[in-house]
Amino acid sequence: MTSELAHTAGLALILAGRHAEPLSALAAQTQTEYRVFGLDDDAAIDKALSDVSVVLNCAGPYMHTAGPLMRAAIRHGVHYLDIAAELDSYLLAEKLDTEAKAAGVMLLPGSGGSVAMLGCLAAHAIERVSEPCKISIALHVSGSMSRGSAISASANLTTHTLIRAGDQLITRSTTAPRFFDFGAGPVSCFPVTLPDLITIGIATGVPDIETFVYVSGNAFPTGDLSALPAGPTIQERNANRYQAAVQVTGADGVQVCSVLDTVNGYTFTPIAAAEAARRVLAGEYRSGFQTPAGLFGKGFAQTIADTHISDCS
């Protein structure tokens, strides 16, 4: 989906992956070049990236793919984007920040998807309070999950949940749920470790952040994940919109909330990622580790498809 959108936008596109057969079929559809290589061979990666300006990584689990591609991007002066929702990619981007800045390279994990949604929502809401000191934010995941997302999620399961407290990631002391209203009344959301603990902290400077998820439909499947379909159909996506809700507390104790309503995540993500790549190719970038909301502004999510933010208090 991302490649088709990038092609439609007129970007000079090169497809890449480990296997020739699916790449050649997709390349025929988009009339683009393709390159076949794995990520266990630095020389092959270096050759593949030697003449490109931006790499957009859509291959998870990102715990296996982000590292080789980020480091190769830094070696070759190539800006790195991905659509990861895994914490490891963001911790790595933080670690490589100084090296990337020295090379004039931008690292933008989460260029599309929930990181763009939640980051823009949080940036909007903090402007409604003086001295924001705490952000509690929740994502409503609706409908089914793709095979790739399910495999990535299962590979990143952890035994503890993190929060951001005093600008540090620490283990959450309680797993108690919290109620958020996505627009149809309060629902119980369970605490999870999302990369937004890092990205929202960097973009807003707010020291205390906690992240939650509310799941409806069959978003978290069980059984043989490799047997799942590649992703939800267009009918399934159209029937299952995503929402996000944020509660921001100011130093004076005043709390406000805002809600984002958007298309299904599997529709939003490729649109946002292709648009991010277009903007970066057009010169909209800063070296080092960046976030979508910090780079493109708090209104970025609202430029993607049918996305709206409303204030509820």
Side-chain angles (χ1 to χ4, degrees):
M1 292 171 68
T2 306
S3 66
E4 290 168 354
L5 288 161
H7 175 68
T8 300
L11 304 188
L13 185 65
I14 301 170
L15 304 177
R18 293 167 296 175
H19 305 298
E21 186 175 351
L23 279 177
S24 62
L26 184 56
Q29 293 176 26
T30 54
Q31 300 179 325
T32 54
E33 178 187 349
Y34 69 93
R35 298 173 182 177
V36 181
F37 62 95
L39 296 181
D40 54 353
D41 183 346
D42 282 351
I45 304 172
D46 290 346
K47 181 180 179 181
L49 296 188
S50 62
D51 61 347
V52 302
S53 302
V54 174
V55 58
L56 173 55
N57 180 15
C58 297
Y62 295 89
M63 62 193 300
H64 303 310
T65 65
L69 283 174
M70 281 188 191
R71 291 186 172 93
I74 290 172
R75 288 196 298 272
H76 289 279
V78 177
H79 300 306
Y80 172 92
L81 286 67
D82 70 28
I83 55 172
E86 305 165 17
L87 189 68
D88 284 352
S89 290
Y90 301 82
L91 293 172
L92 178 60
E94 274 196 310
K95 181 179 178 180
L96 295 176
D97 176 64
T98 300
E99 191 176 343
K101 285 178 178 175
V105 167
M106 181 173 69
L107 304 177
L108 186 68
S111 58
S114 60
V115 169
M117 296 178 196
L118 300 188
C120 290
L121 177 62
H124 166 89
I126 64 168
E127 293 187 346
R128 302 179 56 217
V129 300
S130 60
E131 298 183 61
C133 59
K134 183 176 181 179
I135 296 174
S136 301
I137 195 162
L139 176 68
H140 174 202
V141 179
S142 175
S144 59
M145 185 180 284
S146 75
R147 178 174 62 245
S149 295
I151 292 172
S152 286
S154 66
N156 282 271
L157 292 176
T158 59
T159 57
H160 56 273
T161 303
L162 301 179
I163 61 172
R164 191 179 190 95
D167 268 336
Q168 301 294 320
L169 294 181
I170 64 170
T171 300
R172 186 181 179 90
S173 60
T174 174
T175 57
R178 182 161 179 169
F179 283 88
F180 289 83
D181 189 343
F182 297 101
V187 292
S188 180
C189 303
F190 59 90
V192 292
T193 301
L194 295 180
D196 308 272
L197 295 171
I198 295 175
T199 54
I200 291 176
I202 289 174
T204 67
V206 175
D208 295 351
I209 302 168
E210 52 184 357
T211 51
F212 299 80
V213 165
Y214 172 65
V215 176
S216 62
N218 57 339
F220 286 159
T222 58
D224 182 5
L225 301 182
S226 65
L228 291 173
T233 65
I234 188 170
Q235 292 82 9
E236 290 171 327
R237 297 198 307 273
N238 288 342
N240 292 279
R241 294 178 66 85
Y242 274 31
Q243 290 84 35
V246 65
Q247 300 167 355
V248 179
T249 305
D252 56 4
V254 172
Q255 185 180 88
V256 301
C257 68
S258 299
V259 174
L260 177 145
D261 180 80
T262 189
V263 293
N264 185 271
Y266 290 98
T267 298
F268 182 99
T269 296
I271 297 173
E275 173 62 9
R278 185 195 68 79
R279 291 191 183 199
V280 175
L281 282 167
E284 197 171 345
Y285 62 84
R286 292 194 298 268
S287 61
F289 176 29
Q290 304 295 332
T291 71
L295 179 67
F296 301 128
K298 62 182 176 63
F300 176 63
Q302 291 168 279
T303 69
I304 306 303
D306 181 20
T307 303
H308 308 279
I309 292 177
S310 58
D311 299 325
C312 48
S313 68

